[in-house]
């Protein structure tokens, strides 16, 4: 087993990796920015190496510094966490060439799945349902119009090299195609260096359902059930749950089988997620594969009882998965809420600053993942996620009640957070009934915010 | 009324225990101000002797420190590197060149070449005084001022963290 792992990340995921390393008897070397020297992971890692100043570009994205630090500190492997370099094929290759194990799939697999159009083509070939659209890269806007005429508007012009919602434009009719095509292509060229485009039918108000996958380097791949991540604001997930509510047994079986087929088609190994959109008629389509451990992996850990990160590290060490598909049982229901340092009243603008006081909940089936402590500083240089609260209970209703109690107990003073907003979401009709899709927050956030404001109004005497 | 030393100490204690963020008192002769500090990130060249780098920070306080000193101490613990860089405190007139990037420090351009600078050598601002390499990418590092190199803190071929002490230069015109 690895003796030392370099952790190329920060915040709650760095804590997750450090704790996992401790359990496994692996020494953790935290590569951090100057900004994070006071942060909790720096206190708990066995060693710290400061690899750059606050800006991520010079620190957490500094590939050469990270690999050099791994080598100089005797680390056999690097854990990239999520975000940052976790899906950067160039970084994975740099590690491979330097003889440092990248904890994740190979650089070849990252490239394959990172190229959205070739991933789509592979799925089409293997019979995994994909969103109706173009077969291959579009040669021109004219070709886009021809295909759109056949599959019907509205359509989405998407960049093959894109991601995170960038390099995408909607065309609602034939007249809009030209502009959508050139704008999306230009954006992708500027951001990713590649303006190649493909086309998909725009599914109206889809649900976002994804399936957790993990495989070892012996060809053994397993799926661990689906998660519903439809509660999103501007393509940013707010909360997640497993299993996805309201699916029939056959829908659930079909989506899980499709995910496994997709992962096998790619020859995938390590932890990953296959993403689907589900339309209003319950039909689902592959959209992309995430070749990393995700923020919401904890939800699946709660329902299956499997430590995904430990498995991921073992797989990277060349071991087989410690379980088979037939060992995987999805028990009960889990929900995760992402607590962010942001102000819902000001369009969820990030609110860095000092956390004067923080208290996280506890109890049976309550799990917290955070790097916060009273007196900690939330930096403006990084994303606003400060804590995850995850609950697990035998039924969805009991999980919902547990999350309400957990969020009531959670206290954060000194900065603004979305804690109240999350709490009210646990009472919002759409979430309570399990009937929501990716348009829910766009439609109802304002109502939830008003509810919050109204609840804090002073009651006049005599009312 | 004039404040005695005890008055000031009593006021400080009350302020600390309160939830006030600012306090001001003045009379014709003197004025007194307290302000609650934010957690400052101190510069990396902390000159305190740090404690065991592996030890977790002493119990985090629930209120912000009045003068940021608590944060400095925690950072010193966090900054205490596994690095073999020298921990010479800066004397007056000394400028410390800190590593502008993380990587392996070399004193000469090639293994068999003499070092760019030796202790006692005079340098001009901007002179190349060493190299820092990360994965075959070489970066020249230059003297921040003119003067005499008093101490080379980082070992040849050792990994230096970002901001770690590399050398001390006594500033001279």
């Amino acid at each position: 087993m690895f003796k030392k792992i370099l952790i190329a990340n920060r915040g709650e995921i760095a804590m997750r990796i450090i704790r996992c390393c401790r359990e496994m008897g692996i020494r953790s070397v935290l590569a951090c920015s100057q900004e994070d020297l006071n942060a909790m992971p720096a206190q708990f890692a066995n060693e710290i190496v400061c690899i750059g100043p606050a800006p991520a570009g010079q620190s957490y994205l500094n590939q050469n510094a990270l690999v050099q630090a791994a080598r100089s500190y005797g680390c056999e492997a690097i854990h990239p966490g999520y975000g940052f370099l976790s899906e950067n094929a160039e970084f994975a290759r740099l590690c491979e060439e330097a003889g440092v194990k990248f904890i994740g799939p190979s650089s070849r697999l990252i490239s394959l799945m990172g190229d959205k159009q070739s991933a789509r083509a592979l799925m089409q070939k293997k019979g995994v349902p994909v969103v109706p659209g173009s077969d291959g890269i579009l040669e021109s806007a004219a070709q886009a119009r021809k295909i759109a005429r056949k599959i019907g508007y509205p359509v989405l012009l998407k960049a093959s090299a894109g991601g995170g919602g960038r390099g995408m434009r909607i065309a609602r009719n034939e007249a809009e195609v030209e502009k959508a095509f050139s704008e999306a292509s230009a954006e992708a060229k500027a951001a990713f260096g590649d303006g190649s485009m493909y086309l998909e039918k725009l599914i109206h108000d889809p649900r976002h359902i994804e399936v957790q996958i993990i495989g070892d380097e012996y060809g053994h791949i397993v799926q661990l059930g689906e998660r519903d991540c439809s509660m999103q604001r501007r393509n940013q997930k707010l909360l997640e749950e497993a299993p996805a509510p309201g699916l029939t047994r056959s829908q659930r079986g079909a989506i899980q089988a499709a995910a496994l087929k997709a992962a096998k088609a790619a020859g995938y190994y390590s932890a990953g997620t296959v993403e689907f959109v589900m339309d209003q008629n319950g039909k689902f389509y592959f959209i992309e594969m995430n070749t990393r451990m995700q923020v919401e992996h904890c939800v699946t850990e709660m329902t299956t009882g499997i430590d995904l990160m430990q498995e991921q590290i073992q797989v990277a060490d060349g071991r087989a998965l410690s379980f088979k598909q037939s060992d995987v049982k999805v028990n009960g229901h889990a929900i995760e809420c992402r607590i962010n340092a942001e102000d819902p009243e000001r369009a969820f603008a990030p609110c860095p600053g000092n956390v004067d006081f923080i208290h996280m909940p506890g109890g049976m089936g309550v799990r917290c993942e955070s790097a916060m402590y009273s007196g900690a500083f939330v930096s403006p240089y990084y994303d606003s996620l400060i804590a995850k609260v995850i609950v697990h209970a035998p039924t969805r209703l009991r999980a919902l009640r547990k999350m309400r109690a957990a969020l009531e107990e959670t206290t954060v003073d000194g900065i603004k957070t979305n804690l109240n907003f999350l709490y009210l979401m646990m009472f919002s009709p759409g979430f309570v009934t399990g009937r929501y899709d990716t348009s829910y927050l766009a439609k109802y956030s304002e109502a939830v915010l008003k509810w919050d404001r109204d609840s804090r109004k002073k009651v006049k005497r005599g009312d | 009324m004039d404040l005695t030393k005890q008055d000031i100490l009593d006021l400080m204690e009350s302020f600390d225990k309160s939830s006030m963020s600012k306090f001001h008192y003045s009379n014709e002769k003197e004025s007194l101000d307290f302000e609650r500090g934010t957690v400052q990130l101190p510069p990396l060249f902390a000159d305190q002797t740090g404690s065991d780098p592996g030890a977790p920070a002493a119990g985090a306080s629930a209120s912000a420190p009045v003068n940021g000193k608590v944060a400095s101490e925690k950072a010193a613990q966090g900054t205490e590197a596994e690095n073999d860089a020298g921990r010479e405190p800066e004397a007056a007139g000394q400028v410390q060149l800190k590593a502008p990037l993380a990587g392996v420090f070399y004193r000469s351009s090639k293994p068999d070449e003499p070092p760019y600078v030796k202790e006692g050598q005079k340098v001009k601002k901007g002179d190349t005084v060493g190299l820092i390499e990360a994965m075959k990418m070489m970066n020249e590092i230059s003297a921040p001022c003119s003067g005499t190199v008093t101490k080379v803190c980082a070992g040849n071929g050792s990994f230096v963290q970002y901001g770690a002490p590399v050398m001390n230069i006594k500033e001279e015109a």
Side-chain angles (χ1 to χ4, degrees):
Chain A
M1 178 46 70
F2 301 127
K3 297 222 167 29
K4 277 174 121 174
I5 290 180
L6 187 96
I7 300 171
N9 215 301
R10 59 178 305 282
E12 67 91 13
I13 196 66
M15 286 306 296
R16 174 86 181 90
I17 303 166
I18 290 169
R19 287 167 174 147
C20 201
C21 284
R22 286 202 160 191
E23 280 180 42
M24 298 172 78
I26 301 169
R27 272 183 81 81
S28 51
V29 178
L30 178 75
C32 69
S33 70
Q34 191 172 27
E35 182 88 337
D36 284 330
L37 287 169
N38 264 353
M40 191 184 276
Q43 304 301 320
F44 283 103
N46 291 116
E47 297 176 62
I48 317 159
V49 46
C50 180
I51 40 89
Q58 293 166 66
S59 48
Y60 296 105
L61 298 172
N62 188 338
Q63 299 186 29
N64 288 336
L66 289 166
V67 182
Q68 184 64 61
R71 289 184 58 146
S72 295
Y73 279 69
C75 301
E76 300 113 308
I78 293 182
H79 200 306
Y82 53 66
F84 291 139
L85 295 168
S86 62
E87 282 181 291
N88 188 308
E90 189 195 333
F91 181 62
R93 196 171 51 246
L94 189 66
C95 292
E96 283 156 19
E97 285 163 5
V100 176
K101 183 71 177 179
F102 176 82
I103 298 176
S106 64
S107 57
R108 189 194 67 86
L109 277 169
I110 296 174
S111 294
L112 176 66
M113 290 328 222
D115 179 343
K116 308 289 176 227
Q117 170 47 34
S118 60
R120 187 183 141 81
L122 176 65
M123 296 307 142
Q124 272 178 298
K125 202 167 86 173
K126 299 288 181 170
V128 175
V130 299
V131 182
S134 62
D135 286 320
I137 299 291
L138 293 167
E139 280 159 30
S140 63
Q143 191 195 16
R145 273 194 297 273
K146 195 156 152 234
I147 298 169
R149 215 172 291 140
K150 228 174 35 187
I151 61 172
Y153 286 94
V155 295
L156 205 50
L157 277 308
K158 291 174 90 164
S160 191
R166 286 157 81 195
M168 272 170 39
R169 290 291 188 280
I170 297 175
R172 270 166 265 271
N173 53 54
E174 206 162 290
E176 289 185 5
V177 174
E178 187 77 50
K179 185 160 179 267
F181 185 94
S182 51
E183 273 184 20
S185 183
E187 186 176 276
K189 185 103 177 95
F192 309 105
D194 178 2
S196 310
M197 302 297 297
Y198 67 103
L199 184 144
E200 274 181 1
K201 182 162 177 58
L202 181 67
I203 311 275
H204 182 66
D205 294 345
R207 288 176 73 175
H208 172 127
I209 316 269
E210 60 186 34
V211 179
Q212 180 71 51
I213 289 288
I214 191 160
D216 59 31
E217 297 189 41
Y218 303 98
H220 186 206
I221 313 180
V222 166
Q223 59 85 13
L224 295 112
E226 81 290 354
R227 293 185 289 258
D228 190 324
C229 308
S230 305
M231 209 59 92
Q232 295 176 16
R233 205 196 134 260
R234 305 222 173 142
N235 297 313
Q236 298 291 299
K237 295 168 186 171
L238 177 69
L239 57 91
E240 304 94 354
E241 61 176 315
L247 294 188
T248 65
R249 188 182 303 187
S250 83
Q251 279 175 325
R252 208 182 301 282
I255 232 182
Q256 290 175 7
L260 198 54
K261 198 181 202 181
K264 285 185 171 152
Y268 195 75
Y269 67 88
S270 189
T273 299
V274 185
E275 282 189 11
F276 299 90
V277 285
M278 186 177 269
D279 69 17
Q280 307 281 321
N281 302 315
K283 285 193 76 171
F284 63 89
Y285 310 95
F286 169 90
I287 41 168
E288 66 183 62
M289 185 159 177
N290 295 323
T291 56
R292 68 178 189 278
M293 187 74 87
Q294 288 187 278
V295 174
E296 62 268 31
H297 73 276
C298 306
V299 175
T300 300
E301 288 181 327
M302 302 305 272
T303 54
T304 60
I306 291 166
D307 187 328
L308 284 169
M309 188 164 286
Q310 207 168 103
E311 293 292 327
Q312 185 197 34
I313 293 173
Q314 285 181 326
V315 161
D317 189 52
R319 307 239 206 119
L321 284 178
S322 70
F323 59 95
K324 305 187 297 292
Q325 183 70 68
S326 56
D327 296 322
V328 178
K329 301 273 180 288
V330 173
N331 293 311
H333 202 94
I335 304 173
E336 170 181 279
C337 281
R338 299 191 188 193
I339 302 176
N340 298 320
E342 62 190 11
D343 189 352
E345 291 289 332
R346 290 188 308 124
F348 296 89
C351 283
N354 271 101
V355 175
D356 296 329
F357 178 76
I358 184 163
H359 168 80
M360 296 301 283
M364 168 84 176
V366 180
R367 171 179 175 182
C368 302
E369 295 286 343
S370 179
M372 283 293 110
Y373 59 92
S374 294
F377 177 67
V378 177
S379 170
Y381 282 98
Y382 313 115
D383 68 55
S384 58
L385 177 67
I386 58 166
K388 293 163 9 191
V389 173
I390 307 124
V391 299
H392 179 247
T395 68
R396 188 173 189 271
L397 180 59
R398 288 172 73 178
L400 187 60
R401 286 188 166 138
K402 200 180 283 283
M403 182 59 85
R404 287 172 181 171
L407 294 178
E408 278 172 29
E409 193 185 332
T410 309
T411 306
V412 185
D413 282 347
I415 52 163
K416 297 255 193 291
T417 66
N418 63 347
L419 193 52
N420 277 358
F421 188 86
L422 283 164
Y423 180 66
L424 291 174
M425 283 304 299
M426 293 299 112
F427 294 87
S428 72
F431 187 73
V432 172
T433 57
R435 293 206 183 92
Y436 60 96
D437 56 49
T438 49
S439 70
Y440 193 84
L441 283 180
K443 289 177 180 149
Y444 301 111
S445 316
E446 206 31 64
V448 174
L449 287 169
K450 184 172 187 303
W451 200 6
D452 192 4
R453 283 192 293 266
D454 289 349
S455 73
R456 286 184 275 116
K457 276 196 189 132
K458 284 189 170 24
V459 175
K460 287 202 276 291
R461 219 200 302 243
D463 281 0
Chain B
M1 83 189 192
D2 287 341
L3 293 174
T4 65
K5 183 175 169 205
Q6 189 56 48
D7 287 336
I8 295 176
L9 289 173
D10 289 344
L11 282 170
M12 268 177 74
E13 208 189 307
S14 302
F15 177 82
D16 207 11
K17 292 200 180 114
S18 79
S19 58
M20 285 192 280
S21 54
K22 270 189 185 156
F23 168 84
H24 172 77
Y25 166 81
S26 60
N27 58 33
E28 307 88 45
K29 278 197 269 172
E30 62 203 351
S31 72
L32 184 65
D33 284 276
F34 297 139
E35 190 175 322
R36 226 170 262 288
T38 53
V39 174
Q40 300 287 350
L41 286 172
L44 257 183
F45 52 86
D47 56 1
Q48 295 99 321
T49 52
S51 54
D52 176 2
S61 53
S63 61
V66 177
N67 60 8
K69 184 170 183 291
V70 173
S72 305
E73 285 167 4
K74 279 187 199 167
Q77 289 171 23
T79 321
E80 182 71 60
E82 304 301 296
N83 191 299
D84 56 1
R87 301 208 58 82
E88 289 288 293
E90 293 183 16
Q94 299 257 16
V95 173
Q96 189 168 70
L97 167 61
K98 289 179 255 295
L101 68 152
V104 183
F105 172 65
Y106 294 112
R107 293 191 60 175
S108 49
S109 59
K110 285 202 213 13
D112 47 350
E113 293 285 321
Y116 287 104
V117 293
K118 288 205 200 42
E119 287 178 6
Q121 189 174 326
K122 286 210 188 307
V123 292
K124 276 211 279 296
K125 181 174 172 175
D127 283 352
T128 298
V129 294
L131 294 177
I132 292 180
E133 179 235 334
M135 297 311 291
K136 309 276 191 287
M137 298 290 289
M138 293 288 185
N139 291 272
E140 287 182 352
I141 52 169
S142 34
C145 62
S146 300
T148 308
V149 176
T150 53
K151 185 168 171 69
V152 177
C153 314
N156 186 42
S158 72
F159 184 93
V160 289
Q161 301 187 42
Y162 172 78
V166 173
M167 61 182 68
N168 295 341
I169 297 171
K170 180 157 181 280
E171 187 160 14
E172 287 151 5

